[in-house]
Amino acid sequence: MTDRDLLAQIARSAGGKAGYKQLVRELGLGGGRERRLLLEQLARMTARGDLIKADREHWSIPKRVGAGTRDNLMAGRLDLHRDGYGFVRPNARQGSQKEEDVFIPPDEINGAMQGDQVLVELAPPRADGRRLGRIARILERRNPTVVGIFHYAKSDREMGDKVVPFDERMTQHIVIPFGQALPGPEDQETPHRVLGSETATAAHHDDFEGLVVDVEITSWPTPTRPPIGRVIEVLGDPDDFGVDVEMMIRKHQLPRVFPEKVLAEARDVAFLDEVEANRRRDCRGLPIVTIDGETARDFDDAVLVRERADGGYELQVHIADVAEYVGSGTDLDLEARLRGTSVYFPDRAIPMLPHELSTGICSLRPKEDRLVLSCIMQLSSAGRIESFEIIEGVIRSAERMTYTDVHAILEGDAETRTQYAQLVPEFERMRYLAGLMNKRREERGSIDFDLPEPVIEFDENGQMRGVTKSERTWANRLIEEFMLAANECVATWLEDLGVPSLYRIHEKPEPRRVVQFEELAAGFGYSLGLGALPVKRIQTRGDRRDAQRSGRQVRTHEVPEDIAVTPKMYQKLAARIEGKPEERILSYLMLRSLRQARYSEINEGHFALAAPTYTHFTSPIRRYPDLIVHRITKALLRDGVDGRAEVAEGRHGSPWTHPHEGLGIVIHRAKKHAHGEGFNGEPPIPEAELAQIAEESSQAERRAAEAERELVEWKKVRFMEDRLGEEFAALVLNPTKYGLFVELTDLFVEGLVPIDTLRDDRYTWRENTHEIIGERSGRRFRAGDRVQVILDRILAQERRLQFSIVEEGIPLTGKKQSKPPPKSKKNRRKESTASGSKRIPRHIHKQKRR
């Protein structure tokens, strides 16, 4: 049953309200699986705001009327700030993707917690367009468990012990009633318990003070009472090996352990069907290779480049056919959809699919037969795609290559070239073709910031050794070029057929962010070349009220309207700053000015790639949207749709480029279906379901990215604990009203220089120039400045490093102070967790400055 049918069913009920048992009876649902699917569908529709959960087993349709009325409701996800206020991010739905966030004042949170799905009652919009609201109802709690630091009650007058959440956006501590600090035997069966092999248990500890625990919420917070919970798991000391990863898994509610029924299904399907393999196009005799990182275990893409007799090229991109093993609606499929994506931590991964699939039958291992979905492209001698064909095939990878080895081959390393002598011409041909394709992509305006990513290095004992910047060589870039081409071809083929599908979209930047970037770039002498910016002038009620009281003229604000910015503008600026000292900071600021890419059932193009049509097709082992695109593609091919298409050189229809800029894919409509032009049958997946999957997948992607980023930041902070009091060269990334955000030059580590630590003058933040300026001296701190800093304080729980500026004229020693005698681990834990930070002693700080 589609969402539309279910909404109609509930709408026909008395008062637009229906119960679970009523729906089961009216829909004639049978076994447990059908009823479970109904509950999951109701939960998804509730999370999107299509339904309201009236009570435990009843759902109703929300009222929606014009703006400014009490029934003007909107559903979304609550993101809190540590200062108590929050923003509700509207759920992305057809026709409302461009809705702005709604500000929720602290006194209108009404007991909601970070990440909850809520229903917001909108207040009349302000004169400046800012949207305000109050949380009218909590639709879905997203924090059944909370991970945090345990602290014993200081007196019997308190309600109980407490746990301070690891997530600083949860400003209320969780009360643990006396006697419930020790997990009992019944907690072994709790649905929220997800133990890891490294995790400590309560039996190992006689003192919980300062330990990391996982708490199950037993009573949700209200405006007047904090949440109440019970400890279900003791993870251990924050400094213990592996505890940091377990903390992130629980904080971000990452599903880690596969249910036994999912594992059983994976074992049942994890074999190669010889009949199916023989039915497909046989590519097993070709020198196809995979190219991945050294630690990769799931190989979902393989490539081959051949030179044609006419001087052109054939590019083959073969992708693991995961959809052949993960059927729609199966336990494997539901688990993959729940996870949405694999999560990659520095020392481990949480896969989307069980290992029987992700590193087994679906992984394109060398010298083993594997089923694939392939995009075979024909390119001219100049690197332009002339035609392509999408097929079901079978391959046998000739070699498992790493980026390091391919880079060595391309750089002329004699030993590596000898080791892979037969494949050396293949990689040189790939490098040449990738260069041609990259040049054509640049011509149409595709942006490439080439920002480095942090890489955590470990020693042989698994202890962190340092933080370095990732190296992006042509070995990485040639795979990127080939995957981009395959993704774009498949996306355009599906759109040209008119079949509902998933797209990877990247919308045009918000005018406000573009204007902010232009102001910052102007300080470095650069511009996007926008010309005069269109603005509208507004006056707020507050300004008018202040003007009446003071008798002064009403202040007028200029708000930027739509700006004709193109990806070519960003690309040209990126080329101008390449190799310059300000490249790092301006690239960072450009990236901040762009929107976040997401999944959508509606194609709106990809701004950063200057691509009118784009999707994700090349990583179905680790991304659920790719699996969905595979499922749609296979359904079309098996229904008789021709996977071949010719590509004509022409002007693409990107809304961000001028007609004379760039080249794009324009498919000549050939015979694509046995019954005539285009695809005229039922779509493989209805558009309404694709909209749900797009929203869920976008949220899962953000959740995984946040968990990965946060763990890296946590490890950086832990790594810097032994360098407290040291001096470093740093780059100012971003001056703000709080202070200077800086990045250390030799270590890929960031931190904050608070504005109140600048002692030599009274400094203020100038928003119009984005500078911090001393009132007496006129000394200015701007983005891109080089400074010398001392690591002054470590805020461990907030995962922040605090620096102070080294005074001018004071020589830098670069030496660490001698450490005091080590304390016992137990006392050290109590001291560090009592304040949540470590700070350099004042006498040592003075010594360092001398």
Side-chain angles (χ1 to χ4, degrees), residues 37-285:
L37 290 174
L38 172 63
L39 286 172
E40 291 176 355
Q41 186 176 9
L42 289 167
R44 288 196 303 270
M45 295 173 67
T46 302
R48 293 200 324 273
D50 290 338
L51 293 174
I52 293 177
K53 196 168 185 181
D55 52 44
R56 186 173 181 181
E57 288 199 350
H58 288 82
W59 285 263
S60 62
I61 298 179
K63 298 178 181 179
R64 290 187 178 90
V65 296
T69 69
R70 292 187 177 181
D71 290 326
N72 185 26
L73 305 176
M74 185 207 72
R77 178 182 184 271
L78 175 64
D79 280 334
L80 290 173
H81 189 273
R82 62 177 181 269
D83 292 337
Y85 61 85
F87 290 91
V88 172
R89 322 286 183 187
N91 294 325
R93 301 175 54 209
Q94 184 172 346
S96 63
Q97 287 93 335
K98 300 193 184 295
E99 287 187 8
E100 295 181 357
D101 300 338
V102 179
F103 176 77
I104 311 294
D107 56 349
E108 299 290 1
I109 299 295
N110 291 333
M113 298 176 70
Q114 167 62 28
D116 285 349
Q117 280 286 329
V118 297
L119 196 67
V120 176
E121 182 179 351
L122 299 174
R126 294 182 9 163
D128 60 359
R130 189 182 191 185
R131 301 209 305 171
L132 305 176
R134 59 175 292 273
I135 294 179
R137 182 175 299 172
I138 298 165
L139 301 175
E140 183 180 358
R141 293 285 188 177
R142 290 294 178 90
N143 299 281
T145 63
V146 174
V147 65
I149 304 295
F150 185 92
H151 295 289
Y152 286 108
K154 295 181 179 179
S155 70
D156 293 338
R157 293 192 299 271
E158 297 186 30
M159 295 175 60
D161 302 321
K162 67 178 181 180
V163 169
V164 178
F166 184 60
D167 190 339
E168 62 181 350
R169 293 170 296 184
M170 295 184 181
T171 55
Q172 290 181 300
H173 63 257
I174 299 165
V175 175
I176 310 296
F178 293 115
Q180 294 192 21
L182 186 67
E186 70 278 2
D187 295 314
Q188 298 290 337
E189 305 301 326
T190 175
H192 307 307
R193 188 178 178 84
V194 186
L195 279 173
S197 58
E198 304 89 348
T199 304
T201 61
H204 296 115
H205 301 281
D206 55 5
D207 181 4
F208 286 178
E209 179 64 33
L211 294 183
V212 182
V213 298
D214 199 22
V215 178
E216 182 179 44
I217 304 296
T218 57
S219 179
W220 299 106
T222 68
T224 58
R225 189 196 66 198
I228 299 174
R230 65 190 185 99
V231 176
I232 61 172
E233 190 177 2
V234 180
L235 303 184
D237 189 284
D239 292 327
D240 287 345
F241 179 77
V243 170
D244 50 3
V245 178
E246 300 294 336
M247 291 163 63
M248 295 302 166
I249 289 172
R250 285 152 183 79
K251 176 186 173 183
H252 295 279
Q253 309 294 329
L254 298 174
R256 177 182 175 185
V257 176
F258 287 102
E260 181 54 40
K261 60 184 178 181
V262 174
L263 294 174
E265 186 176 311
R267 289 190 290 267
D268 289 342
V269 301
F271 67 92
L272 181 69
D273 186 341
E274 294 294 342
V275 175
E276 174 62 24
N278 293 332
R279 183 189 69 81
R280 297 175 172 230
R281 185 175 303 182
D282 195 342
C283 302
R284 285 175 283 197

Side-chain angles (χ1 to χ4, degrees), residues 319-519:
I319 308 299
D321 190 355
V322 179
E324 186 69 25
Y325 300 95
V326 182
S328 177
T330 61
D331 290 325
L332 269 172
D333 181 46
L334 295 175
E335 183 69 18
R337 181 168 176 174
L338 173 68
R339 296 176 177 234
T341 181
S342 297
V343 185
Y344 295 95
F345 294 124
D347 56 348
R348 76 181 80 175
I350 303 177
M352 184 181 77
L353 298 170
H355 290 294
E356 288 83 356
L357 300 182
S358 61
T359 62
I361 193 63
C362 291
S363 186
L364 306 182
R365 294 176 175 177
K367 312 298 190 296
E368 297 184 21
D369 292 354
R370 290 292 184 263
L371 303 181
V372 291
L373 265 182
S374 307
C375 183
I376 301 175
M377 292 159 273
Q378 305 298 325
L379 296 95
S380 70
S381 58
R384 185 184 70 81
I385 300 176
E386 297 176 327
S387 65
F388 62 84
E389 183 179 12
I390 301 168
I391 63 166
E392 293 180 289
V394 57
I395 69 167
R396 183 182 298 138
S397 172
E399 195 67 60
R400 178 269 200 268
M401 300 297 299
T402 66
Y403 293 125
T404 303
D405 286 339
V406 174
H407 176 63
I409 289 171
L410 296 177
E411 291 297 305
D413 182 77
E415 183 179 349
T416 312
R417 290 173 73 91
T418 300
Q419 181 181 355
Y420 300 105
Q422 291 184 332
L423 294 174
V424 168
E426 304 291 335
F427 298 123
E428 291 178 338
R429 194 180 305 119
M430 289 181 193
R431 166 65 180 87
Y432 183 75
L433 178 60
L436 294 175
M437 298 173 71
N438 179 261
K439 181 180 178 181
R440 295 189 68 84
R441 192 160 57 83
E442 286 182 355
E443 288 175 357
R444 77 180 187 192
S446 182
I447 310 170
D448 189 358
F449 292 126
D450 201 13
L451 290 174
E453 295 289 334
V455 175
I456 305 295
E457 294 183 336
F458 297 93
D459 59 22
E460 60 277 2
N461 299 318
Q463 297 298 320
M464 184 174 168
R465 187 171 57 191
V467 187
T468 61
K469 299 180 181 180
S470 61
E471 186 180 10
R472 183 169 172 249
T473 67
W474 266 105
N476 306 79
R477 296 178 68 180
L478 66 86
I479 289 296
E480 292 173 10
E481 290 296 334
F482 297 164
M483 297 306 118
L484 288 171
N487 285 335
E488 194 169 347
C489 285
V490 171
T492 314
W493 179 71
L494 290 170
E495 185 182 48
D496 189 62
L497 289 169
V499 178
S501 182
L502 277 185
Y503 297 93
R504 180 69 169 177
I505 68 170
H506 187 222
E507 296 150 298
K508 184 178 175 180
E510 295 178 73
R512 175 176 55 87
R513 289 189 175 273
V514 175
V515 171
Q516 288 176 351
F517 172 74
E518 274 287 89
E519 293 172 351

Side-chain angles (χ1 to χ4, degrees), residues 124-130 536 538-542 544 559:
R126 294 182 9 163
D128 60 359
R130 189 182 191 185
K536 65 178 180 180
I538 61 171
Q539 296 175 344
T540 67
R541 293 179 183 174
R544 288 196 294 268
V559 179

